[in-house]
Amino acid sequence: MNAPVLLVVAHGSRDPRHAATVQTLVRRAGLLRPGVRVETAFLDFNLPSVPGILDRLAAEGVREVVALPLLLTRAFHAKADIPAVLRQAPAGLHIRQADVLGPSPLLLATVERRLYEAGLTPGDKSTTGVVLASAGSTDPEAIAAIAETARELRNTGWCSVRPAFASASLPRTDEAVRALRAEPGVRRVAVAPYVIAPGRLPDRIAAGASDADVLAGVLGPSPELARLLLERYEEAARAPERVAVAG
């Protein structure tokens, strides 16, 4: 039996950097499992759309699909938007929706990779405060997940870690930077964008980091993130069925 197709479902953006970063990440994940067909679709702004790719897969005779939300937390898109669009798939497609990416030690490893690429070293951890800056959400589960990720990052040895948000919730990035400046033991402040790809909200995070000492890059197509996509795919493929669409 052929392995299920891995369909990575991203949000999409008017910013062309977003789709380019997503496609690079998905290609990198595909190289890790040559026997698995990997496709990308977007909820909005970019092509192919989710309905478009599902129609094409069905027309080609594909029967098994694992739909992976390219999301860090379980907020509205994972709970409502993606299941709704998957339910509109053609008859005959059997689709499982995988878990979102977070929480995962691989995400923490990617955050640290980006901080080191921005100039920090492991020796700087004990004197550096980090703002873990996410896009933001009104979903309490998503907010709690970001707070827990900040705590887990702090437990790896950073002097202090505070969550911040580009929209929908507080504090903002600049507020978290100021708060860290006032903490004892913090000699420098770094901002780590906890977002996958560039776009409007990551740009807002960067603007709020103007008073920080270090601004890391977005998570992007890191090797750890590519591995995580495959982990979530394999978990969904092995698990008892959680079917979004059963044709």
Side-chain angles (χ1 to χ4, degrees):
M1 176 182 287
N2 292 333
V5 171
L6 168 56
L7 176 61
V8 178
V9 181
H11 182 271
S13 171
R14 291 186 177 89
D15 189 322
R17 298 173 298 169
H18 174 90
T21 300
V22 169
Q23 296 285 10
T24 301
L25 171 62
V26 173
R27 283 194 298 271
R28 188 163 201 168
L31 292 174
L32 298 177
R33 293 292 187 277
V36 174
R37 178 175 175 180
V38 183
E39 299 282 354
T40 310
F42 298 90
L43 289 173
D44 205 356
F45 303 117
N46 304 108
L47 294 174
S49 67
V50 178
I53 199 74
L54 293 176
D55 287 346
R56 177 159 65 83
L57 291 173
E60 293 176 9
V62 171
R63 291 294 174 260
E64 299 284 339
V65 176
V66 170
L68 171 60
L70 195 65
L71 301 169
L72 299 175
T73 61
R74 277 181 47 79
F76 184 78
H77 293 307
K79 295 177 179 178
D81 285 349
I82 292 176
V85 74
L86 294 179
R87 284 193 291 269
Q88 300 171 23
L93 273 183
H94 201 75
I95 304 178
R96 302 185 191 198
Q97 182 175 327
D99 284 337
V100 297
L101 300 178
S104 170
L106 291 170
L107 289 172
L108 297 181
T110 299
V111 169
E112 290 200 322
R113 172 187 288 274
R114 299 307 184 215
L115 286 167
Y116 297 150
E117 289 172 350
L120 295 174
T121 70
D124 295 323
K125 293 176 79 167
S126 64
T127 55
T128 300
V130 177
V131 177
L132 188 72
S134 74
S137 174
T138 57
D139 188 300
E141 182 180 354
I143 298 301
I146 298 299
E148 178 59 26
T149 300
R151 285 190 290 270
E152 291 175 355
L153 186 63
R154 166 68 180 83
N155 289 337
T156 67
W158 297 95
C159 182
S160 182
V161 179
R162 287 177 176 259
F165 307 93
S167 68
S169 40
L170 296 172
R172 295 288 185 258
T173 303
D174 58 341
E175 295 168 338
V177 169
R178 288 195 295 272
L180 282 174
R181 290 274 185 219
E183 288 195 24
V186 174
R187 296 181 188 171
R188 69 187 66 77
V189 175
V191 173
Y194 193 60
V195 292
I196 293 172
R200 178 176 56 87
L201 292 179
D203 285 349
R204 190 178 295 175
I205 290 170
S210 59
D211 290 333
D213 302 295
V214 174
L215 172 62
V218 299
L219 301 179
S222 74
E224 295 88 358
L225 197 51
R227 284 169 50 204
L228 182 54
L229 264 60
L230 271 296
E231 280 193 8
R232 293 291 182 256
Y233 165 80
E234 290 163 357
E235 290 165 0
R238 290 193 307 261
E241 292 193 37
R242 293 180 301 144
V243 178
V245 178

